[in-house]
Amino acid sequence: MEKKFPDGMVPLGAEKFKFLCHEGVSCFTKCCRKVDMYLFPYDIIRLKGALNIDSHEFLQQYTRLVQGQNPYFPAVMLKLNEKKDCPFLTDEGCQVYTDRPSACRTYPLERAVDRTPESRQESEFYFMTNHDYCLGHFEDNDFTVKEWVRNQRLEQFNLMNDLWGELDTIFSHNPWRGEGSGGEKQRLAFMVCFDIDGFRKFIGQHDLLKKFRIAKDTKKRIKEDDQELLKFGFEWLKLILTGKSSLVQR
């Protein structure tokens, strides 16, 4: 069955596109101003690490909660400064460039994932954005989508965002029935997904890792690495909310 996309949106295939952003382009950093940006769990792990602060402080200082596309779970957006610019924008450029969010890395492309793909059909699609102010499209540098993904080091972001997308799909089916918005399970889920340092304290207080059959080296990585802890948290939430998970209880 042929995939259908919104009018005017044509997915890029293997063809090349022209783009490059650098200080010599007159629109440099314009896309960092008056920007509406959603942050995903892995984005926050990278950003709070770059700033050397814990996740709770990052959430308090740099984010705001909004009602996104999912009516049953809040979305996290970047909080702009008084000038309505990205708070990490400096006169020299991006303060957190090495750890910038996935939306910044993907630009000028947008990524979409079909979570119910037909057999043997693609599940990942990229679309070209078109902002009149952006002059990077006229730079003489050619990329395919695969080349751009490698160039921007998007592989790990895409992997973690796909894991997050699977969980967000579960949230969209209202697994909180009976406790309403902001109930105990929803608050727990938000902590796991967005307050990774809070979740680390939680698993220590409740000896959570001891309740599952986890290899010693894997357990060590979960304790020491935010990304591995987030993966564990996603699987734990799946178990709580659906009863289905890769985790094996003792």
Side-chain angles (χ1 to χ4, degrees), residues 156-169:
Q156 203 62 39
F157 284 83
N158 289 347
L159 170 65
M160 295 303 296
N161 290 344
D162 287 348
L163 295 178
W164 157 243
E166 292 175 9
L167 193 61
D168 193 44
T169 299

Side-chain angles (χ1 to χ4, degrees), residues 14-249:
E15 68 270 20
K16 288 183 176 287
F17 62 90
K18 290 184 179 297
F19 186 79
L20 193 66
C21 181
H22 57 88
E23 293 181 8
V25 181
S26 60
C27 61
F28 185 59
T29 74
K30 192 167 185 178
C31 58
C32 308
R33 307 175 190 278
K34 297 181 181 179
V35 59
D36 291 326
M37 183 181 296
Y38 290 96
L39 296 177
F40 300 142
Y42 186 63
D43 290 331
I44 291 179
I45 284 178
R46 293 290 295 263
L47 288 170
K48 67 99 175 178
L51 299 169
N52 197 29
I53 59 177
D54 69 26
S55 50
H56 179 75
E57 182 179 351
F58 179 86
L59 290 169
Q60 291 290 108
Q61 187 171 348
Y62 294 108
T63 72
R64 59 190 178 95
L65 299 186
V66 299
Q67 179 67 65
Q69 293 182 342
N70 186 339
Y72 302 111
F73 198 73
V76 176
M77 292 194 76
L78 183 67
K79 185 191 298 182
L80 304 183
N81 63 21
E82 293 180 356
K83 296 180 179 179
K84 303 301 179 184
D85 295 340
C86 171
F88 310 123
L89 180 62
T90 69
D91 292 339
E92 290 74 35
C94 179
Q95 175 189 354
V96 294
Y97 185 79
T98 301
D99 297 284
R100 64 199 183 282
S102 49
C104 300
R105 290 172 184 271
T106 309
Y107 189 86
L109 307 182
E110 291 184 4
R111 180 175 183 258
V113 177
D114 182 357
R115 307 210 178 279
T116 56
E118 304 289 338
S119 177
R120 297 183 180 179
Q121 288 194 356
E122 281 190 87
S123 60
E124 178 185 61
F125 303 92
Y126 286 86
F127 303 88
M128 178 62 69
T129 61
N130 291 292
H131 295 120
D132 292 339
Y133 64 78
C134 182
L135 303 178
H137 296 281
F138 301 100
E139 293 293 291
D140 193 23
N141 291 77
D142 291 332
F143 294 93
T144 63
V145 168
K146 288 184 178 180
E147 289 169 344
W148 186 251
V149 168
R150 287 196 299 269
N151 180 271
Q152 299 298 300
R153 298 183 179 180
L154 269 162
E155 295 92 343
Q156 203 62 39
F157 284 83
N158 289 347
L159 170 65
M160 295 303 296
N161 290 344
D162 287 348
L163 295 178
W164 157 243
E166 292 175 9
L167 193 61
D168 193 44
T169 299
I170 294 174
F171 295 164
S172 70
H173 290 90
N174 191 17
W176 335 106
R177 291 186 183 91
E179 68 173 34
S181 176
E184 182 179 357
K185 284 185 178 179
Q186 189 179 101
R187 286 185 282 111
L188 183 64
F190 185 87
M191 177 188 66
V192 172
C193 297
F194 293 104
D195 184 7
I196 197 69
D197 292 307
F199 182 45
R200 178 172 282 106
K201 294 176 184 177
F202 178 89
I203 66 171
Q205 292 167 352
H206 296 271
D207 286 330
L208 193 59
L209 296 179
K210 293 182 179 180
K211 298 178 181 180
F212 301 96
R213 296 178 182 174
I214 302 174
K216 184 181 295 186
D217 59 335
T218 302
K219 189 179 296 186
K220 185 175 185 293
R221 290 197 303 271
I222 291 172
K223 289 180 178 180
E224 297 176 353
D225 185 87
D226 285 344
Q227 180 177 329
E228 294 303 316
L229 177 58
L230 185 61
K231 289 179 182 178
F232 169 79
F234 285 169
E235 288 300 318
W236 183 60
L237 286 176
K238 288 180 185 179
L239 183 64
I240 292 174
L241 299 176
T242 70
K244 298 177 181 179
S245 170
S246 64
L247 295 176
V248 178
Q249 292 178 298

